[in-house]
Amino acid sequence: MTTRIIQPSISVKTLSESPNLKSIPSNYVNSDIYPSDIIASKPQDYSNSIPTVDFSLLTSIDPHQRSQAINNLNKACQEWGFFMVVNHGIQESLMKKVIDGTQGFFNLREEEKKEFEGKHVLDPIRYGTSFNTSKEKAFFWRDYLKVFVHPKFHSPSKPDRYSDIMWEYCEKVREVTKVLLGGLSQGLGLEECYLEKTLEMKSGFQIFIANYYPCCPQPELALGMPPHSDHGLLTLIIQNQVGGLQVQHQGKWIHVNALPNSLLVNTRDHLEIFSNGKYKCNVHKVVVNNTSPRISVAVAHGPSLEAIVSPASPLVQSETNYIPMKYKDYMEMQQSNQLHQKSILEQVKIQRN
């Protein structure tokens, strides 16, 4: 049975705009914040070793260049589960339109946004706040819009032209993702099309997730999103000029400073499952600030909803490490529970003594 969503009476954006707001309500105070674990990075410091993948080399007709790009991609997914993609071919003007359109959506009147307030986790258009307020001990300083855009395209009817921009951008991002997944398939020693065919990617599930993180008067007490991993294969992220995304690497939190016009990519639970653990899904979180709202748009890509995902058979030498599960069931299980680390992935991981 699909889980029902219970939303707070007002959005975080509305709460943040309350006159004379000096402190956050107690139900937004999170205990899962460890400032000592954060590695500080200067806003324009791009040398913090987050891997970069040159998409133009991944599509090169030069076999040596393409082989090197696949090796870089393979290494990034094994060691980080996170990387930046440059020279991807998506026009900067289109990316700006997506961010501006998303700003326009969250600037709608509260009653207009509530027209798109979903009731269940599998509703194709769902506006809300936090993540799952029926399960959370503390809410998150975040409003969101989640839209299912493939294999069937949905979109909110407001603001004007947002639907057209969303459709164009999701088409472009899906093309980039197809190439990345082909490179990852080869990085695993499989045929380029193996992952696409096995997981039925022609009818693959694509979600457009717009996030709004308002200014917070006590950012040291609040979280935009908690440490977690996600269902699916890859997520491609763009943002406005305000940072806040942090990724976990070797037990430390690394602040992500995105290169201009780059796509940020994180690996998700089902890439770890498909690779039988060779690729690790990335744990990440979002911190907030008291000076500037942050907008991010994440387009998540998963298998067909009806695909049963298990480790690729050529990668199972002696034993499989994950229980096969229909993607739709896994997605609903994660969306219906509290978001915490890799808690859902651990449930399908085979434990051995």
Side-chain angles (χ1 to χ4, degrees):
M1 183 176 178
T2 306
T3 300
R4 188 171 180 82
I5 296 295
I6 302 172
Q7 294 290 357
S9 57
I10 62 171
S11 68
V12 180
K13 185 175 187 293
T14 299
L15 174 62
S16 72
E17 294 168 351
S18 302
N20 303 316
L21 181 71
K22 301 297 183 184
S23 61
I24 63 175
S26 59
N27 55 347
Y28 286 91
V29 175
N30 270 272
S31 59
D32 199 7
I33 302 176
Y34 308 101
S36 61
D37 286 346
I38 298 173
I39 297 177
S41 301
K42 296 179 182 179
Q44 297 301 322
D45 177 14
Y46 303 125
S47 60
N48 54 10
S49 73
I50 288 173
T52 300
V53 173
D54 189 330
F55 191 79
S56 67
L57 300 183
L58 199 58
T59 56
S60 174
I61 60 173
D62 183 322
H64 176 74
Q65 287 187 336
R66 189 166 187 278
S67 176
Q68 186 59 53
I70 290 173
N71 287 338
N72 291 340
L73 183 62
N74 182 54
K75 186 177 180 181
C77 289
Q78 288 189 61
E79 297 180 1
W80 279 79
F82 184 89
F83 53 94
M84 285 186 279
V85 176
V86 297
N87 299 323
H88 45 72
I90 300 177
Q91 291 186 337
E92 187 175 3
S93 59
L94 176 58
M95 296 165 72
K96 185 179 186 303
K97 287 178 183 177
V98 173
I99 296 296
D100 291 346
T102 298
Q103 176 77 71
F105 175 84
F106 286 110
N107 283 347
L108 293 172
R109 299 192 309 275
E110 199 67 30
E111 57 268 26
E112 290 182 284
K113 288 182 287 190
K114 282 186 177 292
E115 294 174 22
F116 309 107
E117 192 172 74
K119 303 301 181 185
H120 302 92
V121 297
L122 292 181
D123 283 349
I125 302 176
R126 183 153 56 94
Y127 163 72
T129 191
S130 196
F131 176 75
N132 186 344
T133 54
S134 65
K135 299 286 185 179
E136 292 157 357
K137 296 178 182 177
F139 298 159
F140 304 116
W141 202 258
R142 168 236 195 188
D143 296 330
Y144 66 81
L145 171 69
K146 297 183 180 181
V147 185
F148 298 171
V149 289
H150 194 269
K152 184 177 180 180
F153 180 77
H154 301 84
S155 72
S157 55
K158 303 172 185 177
D160 290 344
R161 299 209 65 246
Y162 191 37
S163 176
D164 294 338
I165 293 166
M166 187 185 297
W167 182 87
E168 182 181 359
Y169 179 69
C170 290
E171 287 282 305
K172 298 290 187 184
V173 169
R174 196 158 62 250
E175 292 171 7
V176 172
T177 301
K178 180 179 179 179
V179 174
L180 292 174
L181 290 176
L184 288 172
S185 192
Q186 289 183 289
L188 291 168
L190 307 171
E191 292 182 0
E192 183 178 0
C193 62
Y194 187 96
L195 186 153
E196 181 180 5
K197 288 183 178 179
T198 304
L199 299 183
E200 304 168 38
M201 294 303 295
K202 284 188 177 180
S203 56
F205 191 64
Q206 187 185 34
I207 317 174
F208 180 96
I209 307 164
N211 300 297
Y212 188 89
Y213 304 96
C215 296
C216 179
Q218 294 178 294
E220 71 280 4
L221 298 181
L223 275 175
M225 286 292 282
H228 69 285
S229 66
D230 297 295
H231 64 81
L233 297 165
L234 293 177
T235 303
L236 279 64
I237 306 162
I238 59 174
Q239 59 187 20
N240 62 355
Q241 300 304 308
V242 180
L245 177 63
Q246 296 184 348
V247 298
Q248 198 172 62
H249 180 64
Q250 296 181 349
K252 295 290 185 180
W253 287 107
I254 309 295
H255 187 82
V256 177
N257 295 316
L259 287 164
N261 200 32
S262 65
L263 295 169
L264 304 174
V265 183
N266 75 277
T267 57
R268 296 166 74 100
D269 293 359
H270 288 84
L271 191 60
E272 179 169 327
I273 294 170
F274 179 82
S275 68
N276 203 28
K278 182 176 180 180
Y279 294 151
K280 303 298 183 184
C281 63
N282 174 265
V283 174
H284 52 285
K285 66 179 179 180
V286 178
V287 297
V288 293
N289 69 80
N290 59 5
T291 57
S292 303
R294 177 175 184 263
I295 294 173
S296 71
V297 172
V299 183
H301 300 82
S304 162
L305 283 176
E306 299 302 318
I308 296 175
V309 185
S310 62
S313 55
L315 304 179
V316 180
Q317 303 299 327
S318 58
E319 54 190 18
T320 181
N321 296 323
Y322 303 87
I323 300 168
M325 178 180 284
K326 184 184 289 189
Y327 179 50
K328 180 180 179 181
D329 295 341
Y330 186 102
M331 185 182 81
E332 185 171 350
M333 182 168 65
Q334 190 205 50
Q335 296 291 298
S336 303
N337 284 278
Q338 187 177 355
L339 204 59
H340 179 70
Q341 299 284 347
K342 297 185 180 184
S343 58
I344 304 302
L345 182 63
E346 290 298 321
Q347 293 184 41
V348 300
K349 196 170 185 177
I350 296 173
Q351 305 296 330
R352 294 185 174 88
N353 297 328

